């Protein structure tokens, strides 16, 4: 699976603002620490008796810290204001965190997907995030800081991808046994490619195959939706065009036919504690391969 995950490699204007603030605080803190250690050494060796002057103590102990803190407060307030600014007409994306995967909705386009956020380069996106179970947090370091996802509350985060690319995100709030395997990918595309992806999602072609019949017979549609079919479950991820996604199991496996077979057969072995039961022993090896092949061809 591709996808850089680093707060030190910003790929959008919001991430660049936070990156600049990180360096300012880090370098400023280092300078203040070194200066403090230098003054401490001078004081202990008796080489700077002037440090005992009340005026110097007031200047270094009260006036200078006050000036520095006021300057940092003003600078960070400006950054917070810039991060909350609406630019143009943002693309609204609803992200719902669940144990242990992500549901991603595009209400304006009528698209629902999972574990992947598609973004048009240069257009601001407004992520409206929430959770139906426990507290989660969404963090895509290359694009923005983290935001909490709290049951019963909708929080909002605005971000912009400055270039095309794929970046890994992560749940950044402990949410249960598979917290560490709750990742997602942000995929930024040129606007024309994003529109083509959206049109493909809306069309949602569904090939006929033996795997579709096995999928129906096994009751998979009780948990999963595949648009354009009779399957309309809402417990598990929407599987419409699952073959186009970067990963399976919220970043646990790369997405191809072999890993689809592995996931359908033994999801509890791959990611213990997730809500999907194992189907090895329920379906034959041939039936498992047919389901994996059908899902892989949903693209």
């Amino acid at each position: 699976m591709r996808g850089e995950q680093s707060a030190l490699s910003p790929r959008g204007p919001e991430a660049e603002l936070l990156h600049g603030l990180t360096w300012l605080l880090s370098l400023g803190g280092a300078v203040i620490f070194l200066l403090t250690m230098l003054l401490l050494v001078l004081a202990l060796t008796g080489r700077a008796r002037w440090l005992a002057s009340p005026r110097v103590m007031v200047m270094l102990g009260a006036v200078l810290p006050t000036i520095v803190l006021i300057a940092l407060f003003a600078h960070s307030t400006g950054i917070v204001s810039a991060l909350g600014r609406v630019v143009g007409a943002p693309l609204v994306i609803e992200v719902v965190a669940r144990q242990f995967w992500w549901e991603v909705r595009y209400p304006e386009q009528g698209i629902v997907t999972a574990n992947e956020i598609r973004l048009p380069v240069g257009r601001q996106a407004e992520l409206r995030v929430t959770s139906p179970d426990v507290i989660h947090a969404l963090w895509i370091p290359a694009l923005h800081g983290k935001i909490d996802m709290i049951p019963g509350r909708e929080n909002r985060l605005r971000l912009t991808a400055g270039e095309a690319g794929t970046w890994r995100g992560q749940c950044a709030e402990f949410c249960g046994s598979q917290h560490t395997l709750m990742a997602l990918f942000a995929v930024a595309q040129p606007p024309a490619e994003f529109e083509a992806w959206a049109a493909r999602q809306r069309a949602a072609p569904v090939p006929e195959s033996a795997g579709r019949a096995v999928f129906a017979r096994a009751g998979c549609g009780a948990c999963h939706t595949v648009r354009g079919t009779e399957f309309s479950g809402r417990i598990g991820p929407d599987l419409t065009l699952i073959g186009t996604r970067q990963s399976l199991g919220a970043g646990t496996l790369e997405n191809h036919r072999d890993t689809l077979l592995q996931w359908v057969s033994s999801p509890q072995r791959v990611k213990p504690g997730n809500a999907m039961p194992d189907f090895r022993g329920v379906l034959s090896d041939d039936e498992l391969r047919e389901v994996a092949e059908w899902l892989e061809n949903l693209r």
Side-chain angles (χ1 to χ4, degrees):
M1 284 173 287
R2 298 174 292 114
E4 183 181 25
Q5 185 176 3
S6 173
L8 300 179
S9 183
R11 293 294 185 265
E14 295 84 5
E16 289 175 356
L17 287 172
L18 294 175
H19 182 255
L21 181 61
T22 298
W23 278 110
L24 174 64
L25 294 176
S26 300
L27 295 177
V31 169
I32 292 173
F33 174 78
L34 293 174
L35 178 60
T36 302
M37 292 300 100
L38 174 62
L39 293 176
L40 178 62
V41 170
L42 292 175
L44 292 175
T45 57
R47 297 180 181 179
R49 299 185 181 277
W50 51 271
L51 287 173
S53 166
R55 178 176 297 179
V56 173
M57 294 178 67
V58 170
M59 290 296 296
L60 294 180
V63 176
L64 181 60
T66 300
I67 293 173
V68 171
L69 290 174
I70 290 175
L72 286 175
F73 176 77
H75 181 64
S76 60
T77 299
I79 290 177
V80 170
S81 177
L83 291 175
R85 189 176 300 128
V86 176
V87 179
L91 173 66
V92 175
I93 305 175
E94 298 172 352
V95 183
V96 181
R98 306 177 186 272
Q99 291 178 304
F100 301 95
W101 60 282
W102 312 84
E103 183 176 10
V104 182
R105 307 169 182 160
Y106 294 77
E108 297 171 358
Q109 287 83 9
I111 296 169
V112 180
T113 184
N115 303 320
E116 190 172 286
I117 299 175
R118 296 272 179 153
L119 302 166
V121 172
R123 181 180 177 185
Q124 187 181 68
E126 181 177 274
L127 305 187
R128 300 179 180 178
V129 305
T130 189
S131 166
D133 42 48
V134 300
I135 296 176
H136 301 269
L138 173 62
W139 187 31
I140 308 173
L143 298 178
H144 211 299
K146 81 160 193 153
I147 186 169
D148 288 336
M149 308 174 80
I150 302 171
R153 178 183 177 89
E154 181 184 86
N155 289 333
R156 300 189 180 192
L157 183 75
R158 298 185 183 96
L159 55 79
T160 308
E163 61 185 66
T166 300
W167 304 286
R168 190 177 186 272
Q170 177 70 44
C171 179
E173 189 77 29
F174 180 73
C175 58
S177 61
Q178 291 300 318
H179 163 69
T180 56
L181 293 179
M182 186 173 168
L184 81 166
F185 291 89
V187 182
Q189 302 172 289
E193 290 185 17
F194 173 81
E195 291 301 329
W197 170 83
R200 183 75 172 175
Q201 287 286 329
R202 288 190 293 268
V206 181
E208 291 292 341
S209 76
R212 175 173 174 171
V214 176
F215 188 91
R217 191 167 60 252
C220 302
C223 292
H224 298 284
T225 290
V226 180
R227 292 196 305 278
T229 72
E230 70 276 21
F231 310 128
S232 58
R234 294 297 303 275
I235 298 174
D238 188 307
L239 300 182
T240 305
L241 300 192
I242 185 177
T244 65
R245 297 176 194 166
Q246 303 279 327
S247 71
L248 300 173
T252 305
L253 298 172
E254 293 186 24
N255 186 13
H256 51 75
R257 188 172 303 179
D258 290 341
T259 52
L260 276 164
L261 176 59
Q262 183 181 354
W263 179 260
V264 172
S265 302
S266 305
Q268 293 303 317
R269 179 177 296 180
V270 175
K271 190 172 181 177
N274 79 88
M276 182 169 168
D278 289 345
F279 279 89
R280 183 171 296 280
V282 177
L283 301 176
S284 68
D285 289 347
D286 287 342
E287 288 174 325
L288 289 169
R289 280 192 292 271
E290 288 170 351
V291 171
E293 180 180 353
W294 181 64
L295 292 174
E296 196 266 342
N297 286 326
L298 293 177
R299 58 176 58 249

